[in-house]
Amino acid sequence: MGNFEKINRKTSGNILNEVILNVKSISKSYGKLKVIEDISFDLSRGESIALLGPSGCGKTTLIRIIAGLIDDYEGTIECRVQKIGYVFQEPRLIPWRTVIDNLKFVEENEERIFKTLEALKLHDFANFEPSKLSGGMRQRVNLARALIVEPELLLLDEPFASLDVHLKVSIISDIIERRKDMNFSMIVVTHDVREALLLSDKIYILSDKPSSIIEEIDVSSVPKDISNPEFHKAESQILSKILGRWRG
Ligand SMILES: Nc1ncnc2c1ncn2[C@@H]1O[C@H](COP(=O)(O)OP(=O)(O)OP(=O)(O)O)[C@@H](O)[C@H]1O
């Protein structure tokens, strides 16, 4: 299913600033529609980046290329890690199986399952079917399923799009906590400046399609706290950069 001929996977040690993903000159068209134009960036071990772009600019396409789910593209992806977790836009849970049985598909070890459920405040819902959960809980289960494999790289495709702001912030803080514990690298694609700022060390601003990187912003020193004035300052600076450049 993936593009494992083009993706050159190598094992490596845990070296500081070690590049684990090299995305080089990626372009992609669907027939005559060019959606991605010459995108390149590197991702280091433990680093988190956001690809911030307007609706329909090709974010899902790009992250699916990186995940190995799309194989007809130009350019190369070199990925040096094996364990990749992927959280899709919509929760993809098996509706007739309980939370725990959904997780057993990817991890048999019950102790590890319960540890993850606990960390994501899902332990009281282990025996619920997805339809009995709220949208936020379902998205948490989705996240649990991606984290349970102890990924070295977590790919998030606008996973909070359907959630209200409180749920969004609460799940984002869970991800930040899990990252502190597990030190995985992360790529989040989003059109939401706040999400990008909260979740990443570096933001790549994408243009409308055909999508290319128009700016790279280091946000590692911005406090990950929406009540902090520094956060608001950074948010409005980024908003002013994208205003007028995205068609909206
Ligand atoms: N399989 C496909 N075949 C043809 N066109 C496609 C296909 N997948 C996506 N597209 C088109 O490519 C463009 C980019 O789509 P994509 O879903 O990658 O963008 P996006 O930035 O993730 O969008 P959104 O923010 O709305 O989720 C859109 O115009 C879409 O209609």
Side-chain angles (χ1 to χ4, degrees), residues 158-160 168 172 188 190 192-200:
E158 299 205 66
F160 320 112
K168 194 186 279 198
I172 286 175
V188 54
T190 181
D192 185 308
V193 176
R194 189 165 283 197
E195 245 170 67
L197 264 175
L198 284 170
L199 284 167
S200 71

Side-chain angles (χ1 to χ4, degrees), residues 91 93-99 102 125 127-139 141:
L93 301 169
I94 299 167
W96 58 89
R97 291 192 180 252
T98 61
V99 167
N102 265 283
F125 303 92
N127 294 312
F128 281 49
E129 285 169 7
S131 63
K132 308 279 183 340
L133 300 172
S134 67
M137 282 294 178
R138 276 200 292 275
Q139 201 50 292
V141 179

Side-chain angles (χ1 to χ4, degrees), residues 33-117:
L33 179 71
K34 186 153 204 177
V35 288
I36 295 172
E37 172 100 71
D38 197 21
I39 287 189
S40 300
F41 62 87
D42 285 343
L43 179 75
S44 299
R45 190 174 288 277
E47 184 185 29
S48 173
I49 64 162
L51 299 164
L52 177 68
S55 282
C57 78
K59 301 183 294 299
T60 296
T61 300
L62 181 58
I63 206 159
R64 287 176 67 83
I65 288 173
I66 292 168
L69 299 170
I70 292 178
D71 57 12
D72 54 333
Y73 58 88
E74 289 168 46
T76 55
I77 307 278
E78 256 192 48
C79 183
R80 300 187 179 89
V81 294
Q82 303 286 338
K83 289 199 279 181
I84 301 179
Y86 193 141
V87 185
F88 298 91
Q89 262 177 37
E90 303 300 331
R92 294 190 180 182
L93 301 169
I94 299 167
W96 58 89
R97 291 192 180 252
T98 61
V99 167
I100 190 155
D101 287 338
N102 265 283
L103 297 183
K104 276 184 183 162
F105 265 106
V106 285
E107 174 60 62
E108 285 176 358
N109 183 322
E110 288 212 2
E111 202 185 318
R112 199 182 271 183
I113 292 179
F114 278 104
K115 220 175 106 192
T116 306
L117 288 176

